[in-house]
Structure formats: C-alpha cells, structure tokens
Amino acid sequence: MRRRVEAETSVPGRGKSGASARGRVALIGVPGLQWSDLDEARTPNLWKLVAQGGSASLSTRAVPPPDRGVTCPMAGWLTVSAGQRSGTARRGCPAIPAPRSAGEGATVPGWSALVAYQAETGYDARLGTLGGLVTSSGGKVAAIGPGAALGAADTTGKIAKYVDTPEALGDPTPYNLIVLDASDLAAAWVRQPLDEYGVPAPLPTATRQAAVAQADRRIGALLGKLPNDTTVLVAGTSDITTNPHLHVAIATGPSPSGRPYLHGYLTATSTRQDALVTITDLTATVIQLLDLEAPREVVGRAWQSDVTEASATPADTVNELSDSDLASQVLREVRGPFFAVFVTVQLVFYAFSALALRRRRRSASAGESTTSEIPTPATDSPERVNGPENADGIEGAAPARPTSAGSTPGGISPGGAPPAESTPTGASSAKTAAAEAGSTGISSEASIPAGSTPTDISPEEATPAETGTTAIPSEASIPAGATPTGASPGEAEPAGTGSAGISSGEAGAAVGAGSARHISAETRGGASGVGGPSAAGPVSASASRLLAVVQVVAVVSGAIAVSTFLAQLVPWWALPSPMLGVIVTILAIAGLITGLAFAGPWRAHVLGPLAVVAGVTSVALLVDVMTGSTLQVNAVTGYEPVTGGRFYGFSNIAFAVYSTGTVLGLAGVAQWLLRRGVSRFVTVLVCGAYGGLAVFADGWPSWGADFGGVPAFVIGLAVFLILLAGRRVSIMKLLLVGVAGGVLIGGISLFDWLRPAAQRTHLGNFVQQIIDGQAWTVIWRKFSAMIGVTVGNWSLTLLSLVALAFLFWVLNRPSRWGAPALGQAYALAPTLRAGLFGALTCAFIGFLINDSGIAIPAMALTVAVPLTLAASVRALQLATPTTPEQRSARSVPTGRSAT
C-alpha cells in the first residue's frame, strides 16, 4: 500500500485550463476482450504489449440494459466518450450504427437522442466530453470503426477524421488522439440468437478464438504505423456475454508522469487495488496523457504503474489476471446460493434455539420446576457475589431481575430512561402484587416503605425468602433515581447498566405483569405433589447438554460474518467445487475463532466468548481497511469489482459487521474492566478511545471512506457510551449526537475535497457535486437503491424480522416460546445492555441513510443476536436452582366491621 501511494504522489497534476493538447495517444477498444482470450501464438501483438507495459483487470460497468447487468458495446463506447457511466434506451444490446460520412469526417446517427437519454440514467453523463475537449484545445482526433466514432465524437456527434480500417488512416503522426474499434468479437456476437432479454447468446469457443485472432491482426496493423513516442492503451470496453466479466487493460509507452509504463500491473486511485482499473479511468488517462485538464464530469483517475512486484513473464501476468476474472465469475455463481443457505441456516438455528429454551421450561413445569436464588457469600460463593470471580473462577452467579413489560431488549423504556430506573414488576398493579405476595414471596406495598428500592439491597441481603422463591419488591418500593443494583462504579453491576429482574434455573424467569403469576403457578405445582420437585429434584441449566450445544453453535454463528472476509485468504474459487469450498472455508475459520473464544479462562464469563468473537471481527476489518481492503474484494459479503459499485474502503455490509463487532467488543472490555475495579470514568474513556479510532477509520478517505456509515456509527457508539456511563438516553442527546456525526463526516469530506482532484475519493467528489448542483441526482439514485434492496431482497428482510422477534419474544419475554434469559445476562454482565442497544441503534440508522437498505441491519443482527444468545445461555448456566417449599395457604380477606 505504501509503495502504491508513492507511485501516485509522483504523478504531476493535470494540465492547466486552456492548455493545448500535447503528445499522442492510441486508444484501442476491443469490446468483449478477456484475459483468457490472450495466447502467445494466437494473439502475438497483444502478447507483446503485455510484455512491454502494464496490465490490469478492467471493470467496464456502465448503464446496463433492463434485466441484464452487462455492459453493451455501445454503452461501453459512450462511457469512454463521457468519462461517466452511460447507456442506451433500447432493450437488450443494440448494434452500433455506422457513421454518416461528411467529407473526411463523419457524424454519429441519433446523437441527440443518445445525449437526451443520459439525463434519465441517474448519472447525467455528458457525451462528447473526450473528443470535444481534445478538439477545443487544438488537438486532432481520428476514429477508426463505428465504435471509435462514438468514443471520439465531439459534443455535437461529429468526428473530423473517420475511416473504416487502420490501413485507410494514412500517416498517424498529425493526430493527438487515434481511436480504434477492433470490433471483431462484438460483430460475431451480435449475430448470435437473442435471449428473452434481447441479449445475444455467448459465442462458441472456436468462433470466439477466430474473432480474437482477427482483432489482434487489426491491432497489429495500427501498431505498425504508430511513431515510437505514442502511448498505446488497450481496453476490453464491454461485455459480449450474458454475464458481466472483468476485461483486458494494457498500457505501453509514456505514462502521465513522463516515464514509460513499466512491465507489471496497473492501478488507479479510483480503485486503490493492485491490477484493477475502470473504464471511466480510461477517459481520464487519455486526458492526462495529452496534458489537458479533465472537466468535473469525468469521474475516473489516470492509470498508473503499480510499483509492487510484477509477474516474471507475460504468461504469469495473463494467468493471474485470468484468475481474477474467474474469481468474479465464481462469486457471481456462489453468492446467491450462499445467501440462501446462510439465511436458511440462521432461521433454522433460531427455531432450534427457541425450542431448546421452550423444552427447558416444559420440563420444569412437568416436574423439574426450580427457581433461581440470588447467591450469598454464606451459601453460594466463597467470595462476595460482586467480586471478580468465585472459587471456580466463574463470574458471580447473580440471576437477572425482570425487566418491565414495556421495555425494549436493550432495556430502555419508551421514554428514553435507562432501565436502572424502571420498576421490576412492570405493568402489574400494586394490588396484584399484594394479593399474590403470600404465594410468590413478593412483598406488598405496605411491607416496603416508600422511597426504598430493591437495588438498595446489597446482594448479601437479597437472600430468597424461606419459601424458596425469589422475593420481588413491588413497584411502590422503588424510589426515583435508584440504580439497578446499588453497586458502586467499580463493581460488577454498574449503576445505569444493569437490569433488575428475577431468574429461574429450569422454569425460566418471569417478566413484567406475569412474573408473580408465573412463579406462583410453578410453586403451586410443586406443592401439589404431582410431579413436584420433591420427586424429581431441581435440575441446573449448567447440566443441560442441549444448552451447551446452543451456546457453541451461537458463537460459531456469530463468527460467520467476519469469516466470510477472512475466507479471502484462501483461493476457494479455484477449488473443484467452489460452493462447497467457500462454505467449508468459512466454517473452518469460524470454527477457529470459536475455538479461541472457548480456549481460555474467559470462556467461563458471560461475555467471554462474545468479547473474543466481536473483538476479532472489529480488529480484523480495521486492519484490512487500513491496508487496502483486500479481504473485501470478491468476498461473498464484500464488493464485486465486476459490478463496479465500490473498490476500496468499507462496503455497507462490511460496515454493519465492523460496527456491530466494535460496539459489542467494547461492551465485553468494559465489563472486564469494571469487574477489576477500574472506575467507570476510566472505562468510558478507554471504550471511547477505541471507538473513536474505529469511527475515524470508517470515515477517513485513505481508509474506510464511508460517508453514510460515520453518522450511524457515531450515534450507535454514543448510545453505548451514554448507557455505560449510567446516563439517560434522550431524544435531545440523540439529535445532538446525530448533528455531531454529520459535522464529522462533513469535515472529512471537505478535507478530501481540498486535495487535488486526482486524489479525491467519492467523499470529496460529493462535495463537488453539491457545489455543481448534482447532489440530488446522487441522493435520489442511492435512495432508490435502498428501497429496491429492501423491497426486493425478501430473504434478508425475513431474516431481520425473525432475528428481532427472537430477541424480543424468545430471549427477553417469558412466553411459552422461551425464557427471559436476556435479563439474567444483563444482571451478570450489565454492559451487555449498553452494547446491544448501541449496536442495534447503529444498524437502524445505517439502514435509513445507506443505499444497501435492509442488508445493513440483517448483517448486524447475524452478529449481535447469536452472540447475545451465547451470553444469555451462559447466564442461564450460572443460575443457582433451589427447591421451592410448599406455599402457605391463601389468606382470607377480612371485611369491614359493621360498626
């Protein structure tokens, strides 16, 4: 990466405005030419160019025809003309019209209609930009072939010099720009039968090879006429297949720096990738080679020699670049089935986990009913419950207290107040609590003085009542401003981040209004002598093998997302069965991460495995984006160079995985620090420092260059830090943080805009688009893409809804579908609530402001929900079961005295 940057900085700036064209460039377009077409015997002229100069894969993405994601030959040439993605209005791939001769020159038929259509594409390309710029600067342009006429025409559709063959050109010395259309492949392709979308079928192998050989001879005829100081650019300007491909890009002769293009690979600041350039870069390269200033409509960047180590021979270069196209084709074939399998497995796993938790509850009600007792130093642990560890090196097994009925899974009440100030009995009335106090151990209003709180009771004082059930104070007993645990900032349950509640070893825990009735029913069942605990005895969750399996599979599931990127370290696309290869590779890497998560003493802690997986996710993607984003190229969850959506920085899916891993990882670090007596202030500072670095890396132009991710990341991280500090999350705070996030990414974009135009990323380009009045075109295009992804990708939408339902109604609510294990995890690891709510907030904001739509929350939830499930299962395993005694008889209400 450093060597590539040095190559970029050595390139001088573009020519000054008003300068005349200098130098000579031969632009040779071969629509459909792929690296696999080159052969030393069949294409000797192209092979010689590879040996002499730089080579790269060319992404030819333009405006595709309806229902086909390919670049047609006509669209490719129009994109060269404009320096911006262009297309045609007709269905399928129309044939390029023959120019109408006008003296030595010619005119392109239907030029006005082509110009008008570009305003409807969302890119607003200006046709004729290249030819018009050269001619207006005093240069001369010659076009050879119909496609070359499209690429070299000026803004009126005229070409000063047009011929049909290289032999008819005569002396090329007077011309500054010579454009050749070696259209033999495309001409053979358009004669093939059309498919249902109006696109010709692929060429047979023999026909293709013959057409490539003819194109090579046409190229050789031109090369033999060119002076030695001519820069030659060869580009496979379009597709001639039913699926998009990466194509050939070769440059020989003087480069924009004045030095010759070196044998090896090409690169450009538009992609920041070794051996990868784009078709819009071709236009920018020609303009810079002629020492002209590119207009703002030209979005590409000049081709440069990549000074990294080159392939030893032309054969090595051709084979490696052919392999790049193979990877893109395999990715296209694998991505759809992979996501289908991925979504299906996720849904099955959620159903399996829900049934596992439901089975625990049924077995408890059928005869193994137990309740979870809050441990005390005298009976449950040789150490203080809120101390670092008990005698076994395991976190204090304090069970969860119930959240209010209307609370969110993050534990924040609808009004924005943290659950530290919510009541443990939720919507249940004080009368109901008092009526059932005798059967459940819930004290009535009269028994607890106003102003007291269940969290004012230390863990040592919270020993269950003699009935064997957990005592739950009523709503009247909770004063305003009380903390959920009463713990000091350095203790295990920090104020403002815990969640009050009760838990149950086998029967689960009750939440909100149903808490008292749920426990009362179980106690009555035990007292009746029908299958009660006296017959079967209490069963601990830690003894459940099914729950142990759920925990391990949950950790593996949470590691899948980052493993899809790390899988790029293995050339799985070259395996005999790529689909099986990518799945096995991803599972193997996820297994290694899971092994690390359970390898050390941290496995005994509630957030131990979660912290390891989330930490690996955050650090791996941070390092990748700081070193060129190579793990995201052609990854099944990354970006595809062949489609040209993005080439560097954080893609939207990678951002979702990265931000979620960062926030959850910081939650695990915060819990570890607090349990070791580190003050809350220092803990917030530590988390804020790494979080700030993560946000900076996401937005910095040289790294993540992610415009839409920064505001979402800032808001999600702020929610996490506010909750971690024990403060309220309010609408006003969120608005202020959102403004801060907007100011941050605005400042980064402005800094990027102040750099030379050739070094800007899309952040700086967007500032320029705002200045030029083109910003709404970009915004509308991205908004339309967001709606299209959300509406059209029903599988990811379904996955998001199921994941949220699992979080709400399985982990967080005591219904017949599950047990409130999440509340127990909150009690044992209070920072989980802050981390989970921060991650979900980030995903939701990202969904609203990015063009990937539902894909962002879908991928964020595939990290957050499984890891939260693993933490919740561990919390269930740490619960201490006790056998409830027979409940006392129901008291008879006394009436008023007649007197």
Side-chain angles (χ1 to χ4, degrees), residues 642-666:
V642 72
T643 61
R646 190 180 181 98
F647 300 97
Y648 61 87
F650 274 121
S651 66
N652 287 333
I653 290 181
F655 159 74
V657 175
Y658 169 68
S659 59
T660 303
T662 298
V663 176
L664 290 181
L666 289 176

PDB file of all heavy atoms in Angstrom, residues 642-666:
ATOM      1  N   VAL A 642     -16.431  -6.519 -10.654  1.00  0.00           N
ATOM      2  CA  VAL A 642     -17.078  -6.632 -11.949  1.00  0.00           C
ATOM      3  C   VAL A 642     -18.321  -5.754 -12.030  1.00  0.00           C
ATOM      4  O   VAL A 642     -18.696  -5.290 -13.112  1.00  0.00           O
ATOM      5  CB  VAL A 642     -17.425  -8.108 -12.247  1.00  0.00           C
ATOM      6  CG1 VAL A 642     -18.582  -8.576 -11.392  1.00  0.00           C
ATOM      7  CG2 VAL A 642     -17.733  -8.302 -13.729  1.00  0.00           C
ATOM      8  N   THR A 643     -18.975  -5.476 -10.917  1.00  0.00           N
ATOM      9  CA  THR A 643     -20.146  -4.607 -10.927  1.00  0.00           C
ATOM     10  C   THR A 643     -19.780  -3.153 -10.671  1.00  0.00           C
ATOM     11  O   THR A 643     -20.590  -2.264 -10.918  1.00  0.00           O
ATOM     12  CB  THR A 643     -21.168  -5.049  -9.862  1.00  0.00           C
ATOM     13  OG1 THR A 643     -20.566  -4.963  -8.559  1.00  0.00           O
ATOM     14  CG2 THR A 643     -21.623  -6.474 -10.112  1.00  0.00           C
ATOM     15  N   GLY A 644     -18.582  -2.895 -10.151  1.00  0.00           N
ATOM     16  CA  GLY A 644     -18.098  -1.522 -10.027  1.00  0.00           C
ATOM     17  C   GLY A 644     -18.817  -0.682  -9.006  1.00  0.00           C
ATOM     18  O   GLY A 644     -18.789   0.546  -9.085  1.00  0.00           O
ATOM     19  N   GLY A 645     -19.472  -1.289  -8.029  1.00  0.00           N
ATOM     20  CA  GLY A 645     -20.151  -0.489  -7.021  1.00  0.00           C
ATOM     21  C   GLY A 645     -19.195   0.200  -6.076  1.00  0.00           C
ATOM     22  O   GLY A 645     -19.383   1.352  -5.689  1.00  0.00           O
ATOM     23  N   ARG A 646     -18.135  -0.497  -5.682  1.00  0.00           N
ATOM     24  CA  ARG A 646     -17.143   0.056  -4.775  1.00  0.00           C
ATOM     25  C   ARG A 646     -15.881  -0.789  -4.911  1.00  0.00           C
ATOM     26  O   ARG A 646     -15.947  -1.991  -5.153  1.00  0.00           O
ATOM     27  CB  ARG A 646     -17.658   0.034  -3.326  1.00  0.00           C
ATOM     28  CG  ARG A 646     -16.791   0.818  -2.354  1.00  0.00           C
ATOM     29  CD  ARG A 646     -17.381   0.747  -0.947  1.00  0.00           C
ATOM     30  NE  ARG A 646     -16.596   1.487   0.005  1.00  0.00           N
ATOM     31  CZ  ARG A 646     -16.864   2.719   0.415  1.00  0.00           C
ATOM     32  NH1 ARG A 646     -17.929   3.324  -0.044  1.00  0.00           N
ATOM     33  NH2 ARG A 646     -16.088   3.332   1.287  1.00  0.00           N
ATOM     34  N   PHE A 647     -14.730  -0.135  -4.729  1.00  0.00           N
ATOM     35  CA  PHE A 647     -13.466  -0.841  -4.904  1.00  0.00           C
ATOM     36  C   PHE A 647     -12.564  -0.761  -3.679  1.00  0.00           C
ATOM     37  O   PHE A 647     -11.583  -1.497  -3.599  1.00  0.00           O
ATOM     38  CB  PHE A 647     -12.703  -0.263  -6.103  1.00  0.00           C
ATOM     39  CG  PHE A 647     -13.448  -0.364  -7.403  1.00  0.00           C
ATOM     40  CD1 PHE A 647     -14.173   0.703  -7.883  1.00  0.00           C
ATOM     41  CD2 PHE A 647     -13.440  -1.539  -8.132  1.00  0.00           C
ATOM     42  CE1 PHE A 647     -14.865   0.617  -9.084  1.00  0.00           C
ATOM     43  CE2 PHE A 647     -14.117  -1.639  -9.336  1.00  0.00           C
ATOM     44  CZ  PHE A 647     -14.841  -0.553  -9.809  1.00  0.00           C
ATOM     45  N   TYR A 648     -12.834   0.107  -2.749  1.00  0.00           N
ATOM     46  CA  TYR A 648     -11.963   0.277  -1.584  1.00  0.00           C
ATOM     47  C   TYR A 648     -12.804   0.776  -0.413  1.00  0.00           C
ATOM     48  O   TYR A 648     -13.960   1.174  -0.574  1.00  0.00           O
ATOM     49  CB  TYR A 648     -10.825   1.266  -1.879  1.00  0.00           C
ATOM     50  CG  TYR A 648     -11.295   2.647  -2.242  1.00  0.00           C
ATOM     51  CD1 TYR A 648     -11.564   3.605  -1.272  1.00  0.00           C
ATOM     52  CD2 TYR A 648     -11.487   3.004  -3.574  1.00  0.00           C
ATOM     53  CE1 TYR A 648     -12.005   4.875  -1.615  1.00  0.00           C
ATOM     54  CE2 TYR A 648     -11.922   4.269  -3.918  1.00  0.00           C
ATOM     55  CZ  TYR A 648     -12.180   5.200  -2.937  1.00  0.00           C
ATOM     56  OH  TYR A 648     -12.624   6.457  -3.272  1.00  0.00           O
ATOM     57  N   GLY A 649     -12.186   0.753   0.773  1.00  0.00           N
ATOM     58  CA  GLY A 649     -12.897   1.219   1.959  1.00  0.00           C
ATOM     59  C   GLY A 649     -13.917   0.209   2.445  1.00  0.00           C
ATOM     60  O   GLY A 649     -13.906  -0.962   2.075  1.00  0.00           O
ATOM     61  N   PHE A 650     -14.833   0.677   3.282  1.00  0.00           N
ATOM     62  CA  PHE A 650     -15.860  -0.183   3.854  1.00  0.00           C
ATOM     63  C   PHE A 650     -17.084  -0.232   2.954  1.00  0.00           C
ATOM     64  O   PHE A 650     -17.705   0.790   2.672  1.00  0.00           O
ATOM     65  CB  PHE A 650     -16.285   0.314   5.242  1.00  0.00           C
ATOM     66  CG  PHE A 650     -15.430  -0.181   6.358  1.00  0.00           C
ATOM     67  CD1 PHE A 650     -14.767   0.697   7.190  1.00  0.00           C
ATOM     68  CD2 PHE A 650     -15.282  -1.539   6.594  1.00  0.00           C
ATOM     69  CE1 PHE A 650     -13.971   0.239   8.223  1.00  0.00           C
ATOM     70  CE2 PHE A 650     -14.491  -2.017   7.616  1.00  0.00           C
ATOM     71  CZ  PHE A 650     -13.835  -1.117   8.440  1.00  0.00           C
ATOM     72  N   SER A 651     -17.424  -1.429   2.520  1.00  0.00           N
ATOM     73  CA  SER A 651     -18.731  -1.609   1.901  1.00  0.00           C
ATOM     74  C   SER A 651     -19.788  -1.529   2.991  1.00  0.00           C
ATOM     75  O   SER A 651     -19.480  -1.579   4.188  1.00  0.00           O
ATOM     76  CB  SER A 651     -18.808  -2.963   1.203  1.00  0.00           C
ATOM     77  OG  SER A 651     -18.740  -4.026   2.154  1.00  0.00           O
ATOM     78  N   ASN A 652     -21.043  -1.417   2.597  1.00  0.00           N
ATOM     79  CA  ASN A 652     -22.104  -1.269   3.597  1.00  0.00           C
ATOM     80  C   ASN A 652     -22.245  -2.511   4.470  1.00  0.00           C
ATOM     81  O   ASN A 652     -22.479  -2.410   5.677  1.00  0.00           O
ATOM     82  CB  ASN A 652     -23.425  -0.956   2.902  1.00  0.00           C
ATOM     83  CG  ASN A 652     -23.464   0.457   2.354  1.00  0.00           C
ATOM     84  OD1 ASN A 652     -22.790   1.350   2.858  1.00  0.00           O
ATOM     85  ND2 ASN A 652     -24.246   0.660   1.308  1.00  0.00           N
ATOM     86  N   ILE A 653     -22.112  -3.690   3.871  1.00  0.00           N
ATOM     87  CA  ILE A 653     -22.216  -4.916   4.663  1.00  0.00           C
ATOM     88  C   ILE A 653     -21.026  -5.034   5.608  1.00  0.00           C
ATOM     89  O   ILE A 653     -21.176  -5.392   6.783  1.00  0.00           O
ATOM     90  CB  ILE A 653     -22.330  -6.138   3.737  1.00  0.00           C
ATOM     91  CG1 ILE A 653     -23.694  -6.143   3.048  1.00  0.00           C
ATOM     92  CG2 ILE A 653     -22.124  -7.435   4.506  1.00  0.00           C
ATOM     93  CD1 ILE A 653     -23.920  -7.320   2.129  1.00  0.00           C
ATOM     94  N   ALA A 654     -19.829  -4.721   5.108  1.00  0.00           N
ATOM     95  CA  ALA A 654     -18.654  -4.768   5.969  1.00  0.00           C
ATOM     96  C   ALA A 654     -18.784  -3.764   7.110  1.00  0.00           C
ATOM     97  O   ALA A 654     -18.393  -4.047   8.254  1.00  0.00           O
ATOM     98  CB  ALA A 654     -17.391  -4.484   5.160  1.00  0.00           C
ATOM     99  N   PHE A 655     -19.343  -2.600   6.824  1.00  0.00           N
ATOM    100  CA  PHE A 655     -19.562  -1.614   7.887  1.00  0.00           C
ATOM    101  C   PHE A 655     -20.497  -2.160   8.957  1.00  0.00           C
ATOM    102  O   PHE A 655     -20.256  -1.976  10.162  1.00  0.00           O
ATOM    103  CB  PHE A 655     -20.150  -0.327   7.303  1.00  0.00           C
ATOM    104  CG  PHE A 655     -20.865   0.513   8.317  1.00  0.00           C
ATOM    105  CD1 PHE A 655     -20.146   1.246   9.260  1.00  0.00           C
ATOM    106  CD2 PHE A 655     -22.249   0.558   8.360  1.00  0.00           C
ATOM    107  CE1 PHE A 655     -20.804   2.006  10.211  1.00  0.00           C
ATOM    108  CE2 PHE A 655     -22.916   1.303   9.304  1.00  0.00           C
ATOM    109  CZ  PHE A 655     -22.192   2.040  10.235  1.00  0.00           C
ATOM    110  N   ALA A 656     -21.577  -2.817   8.538  1.00  0.00           N
ATOM    111  CA  ALA A 656     -22.529  -3.366   9.514  1.00  0.00           C
ATOM    112  C   ALA A 656     -21.848  -4.374  10.425  1.00  0.00           C
ATOM    113  O   ALA A 656     -22.042  -4.367  11.646  1.00  0.00           O
ATOM    114  CB  ALA A 656     -23.707  -4.003   8.790  1.00  0.00           C
ATOM    115  N   VAL A 657     -21.033  -5.250   9.845  1.00  0.00           N
ATOM    116  CA  VAL A 657     -20.332  -6.260  10.635  1.00  0.00           C
ATOM    117  C   VAL A 657     -19.290  -5.605  11.533  1.00  0.00           C
ATOM    118  O   VAL A 657     -19.163  -5.935  12.723  1.00  0.00           O
ATOM    119  CB  VAL A 657     -19.675  -7.293   9.697  1.00  0.00           C
ATOM    120  CG1 VAL A 657     -18.834  -8.293  10.477  1.00  0.00           C
ATOM    121  CG2 VAL A 657     -20.741  -8.017   8.880  1.00  0.00           C
ATOM    122  N   TYR A 658     -18.560  -4.661  10.985  1.00  0.00           N
ATOM    123  CA  TYR A 658     -17.481  -3.971  11.714  1.00  0.00           C
ATOM    124  C   TYR A 658     -18.023  -3.157  12.891  1.00  0.00           C
ATOM    125  O   TYR A 658     -17.510  -3.248  14.016  1.00  0.00           O
ATOM    126  CB  TYR A 658     -16.749  -3.076  10.728  1.00  0.00           C
ATOM    127  CG  TYR A 658     -15.769  -2.096  11.320  1.00  0.00           C
ATOM    128  CD1 TYR A 658     -14.591  -2.515  11.924  1.00  0.00           C
ATOM    129  CD2 TYR A 658     -16.002  -0.730  11.215  1.00  0.00           C
ATOM    130  CE1 TYR A 658     -13.681  -1.596  12.425  1.00  0.00           C
ATOM    131  CE2 TYR A 658     -15.097   0.190  11.713  1.00  0.00           C
ATOM    132  CZ  TYR A 658     -13.937  -0.239  12.320  1.00  0.00           C
ATOM    133  OH  TYR A 658     -13.037   0.667  12.806  1.00  0.00           O
ATOM    134  N   SER A 659     -19.050  -2.359  12.656  1.00  0.00           N
ATOM    135  CA  SER A 659     -19.585  -1.518  13.731  1.00  0.00           C
ATOM    136  C   SER A 659     -20.208  -2.352  14.833  1.00  0.00           C
ATOM    137  O   SER A 659     -20.043  -2.059  16.025  1.00  0.00           O
ATOM    138  CB  SER A 659     -20.612  -0.529  13.161  1.00  0.00           C
ATOM    139  OG  SER A 659     -21.682  -1.210  12.522  1.00  0.00           O
ATOM    140  N   THR A 660     -20.920  -3.411  14.460  1.00  0.00           N
ATOM    141  CA  THR A 660     -21.534  -4.281  15.475  1.00  0.00           C
ATOM    142  C   THR A 660     -20.464  -4.982  16.301  1.00  0.00           C
ATOM    143  O   THR A 660     -20.551  -5.039  17.531  1.00  0.00           O
ATOM    144  CB  THR A 660     -22.433  -5.320  14.800  1.00  0.00           C
ATOM    145  OG1 THR A 660     -23.422  -4.655  14.001  1.00  0.00           O
ATOM    146  CG2 THR A 660     -23.137  -6.184  15.839  1.00  0.00           C
ATOM    147  N   GLY A 661     -19.444  -5.513  15.639  1.00  0.00           N
ATOM    148  CA  GLY A 661     -18.360  -6.146  16.371  1.00  0.00           C
ATOM    149  C   GLY A 661     -17.639  -5.177  17.285  1.00  0.00           C
ATOM    150  O   GLY A 661     -17.254  -5.525  18.411  1.00  0.00           O
ATOM    151  N   THR A 662     -17.463  -3.945  16.837  1.00  0.00           N
ATOM    152  CA  THR A 662     -16.768  -2.950  17.652  1.00  0.00           C
ATOM    153  C   THR A 662     -17.543  -2.634  18.923  1.00  0.00           C
ATOM    154  O   THR A 662     -16.992  -2.650  20.029  1.00  0.00           O
ATOM    155  CB  THR A 662     -16.547  -1.667  16.839  1.00  0.00           C
ATOM    156  OG1 THR A 662     -15.719  -1.953  15.714  1.00  0.00           O
ATOM    157  CG2 THR A 662     -15.886  -0.595  17.685  1.00  0.00           C
ATOM    158  N   VAL A 663     -18.825  -2.336  18.801  1.00  0.00           N
ATOM    159  CA  VAL A 663     -19.619  -1.941  19.969  1.00  0.00           C
ATOM    160  C   VAL A 663     -19.774  -3.107  20.945  1.00  0.00           C
ATOM    161  O   VAL A 663     -19.606  -2.935  22.160  1.00  0.00           O
ATOM    162  CB  VAL A 663     -20.994  -1.406  19.518  1.00  0.00           C
ATOM    163  CG1 VAL A 663     -21.865  -1.097  20.728  1.00  0.00           C
ATOM    164  CG2 VAL A 663     -20.821  -0.146  18.671  1.00  0.00           C
ATOM    165  N   LEU A 664     -20.072  -4.306  20.441  1.00  0.00           N
ATOM    166  CA  LEU A 664     -20.205  -5.450  21.345  1.00  0.00           C
ATOM    167  C   LEU A 664     -18.862  -5.821  21.963  1.00  0.00           C
ATOM    168  O   LEU A 664     -18.802  -6.213  23.139  1.00  0.00           O
ATOM    169  CB  LEU A 664     -20.777  -6.643  20.582  1.00  0.00           C
ATOM    170  CG  LEU A 664     -22.243  -6.535  20.156  1.00  0.00           C
ATOM    171  CD1 LEU A 664     -22.676  -7.793  19.421  1.00  0.00           C
ATOM    172  CD2 LEU A 664     -23.152  -6.285  21.353  1.00  0.00           C
ATOM    173  N   GLY A 665     -17.788  -5.718  21.193  1.00  0.00           N
ATOM    174  CA  GLY A 665     -16.474  -5.986  21.765  1.00  0.00           C
ATOM    175  C   GLY A 665     -16.133  -5.029  22.880  1.00  0.00           C
ATOM    176  O   GLY A 665     -15.574  -5.414  23.917  1.00  0.00           O
ATOM    177  N   LEU A 666     -16.479  -3.753  22.710  1.00  0.00           N
ATOM    178  CA  LEU A 666     -16.236  -2.767  23.767  1.00  0.00           C
ATOM    179  C   LEU A 666     -17.095  -3.055  24.999  1.00  0.00           C
ATOM    180  O   LEU A 666     -16.663  -2.793  26.130  1.00  0.00           O
ATOM    181  CB  LEU A 666     -16.522  -1.360  23.235  1.00  0.00           C
ATOM    182  CG  LEU A 666     -15.506  -0.822  22.228  1.00  0.00           C
ATOM    183  CD1 LEU A 666     -15.946   0.538  21.701  1.00  0.00           C
ATOM    184  CD2 LEU A 666     -14.120  -0.731  22.857  1.00  0.00           C
TER     185      LEU A 666
END
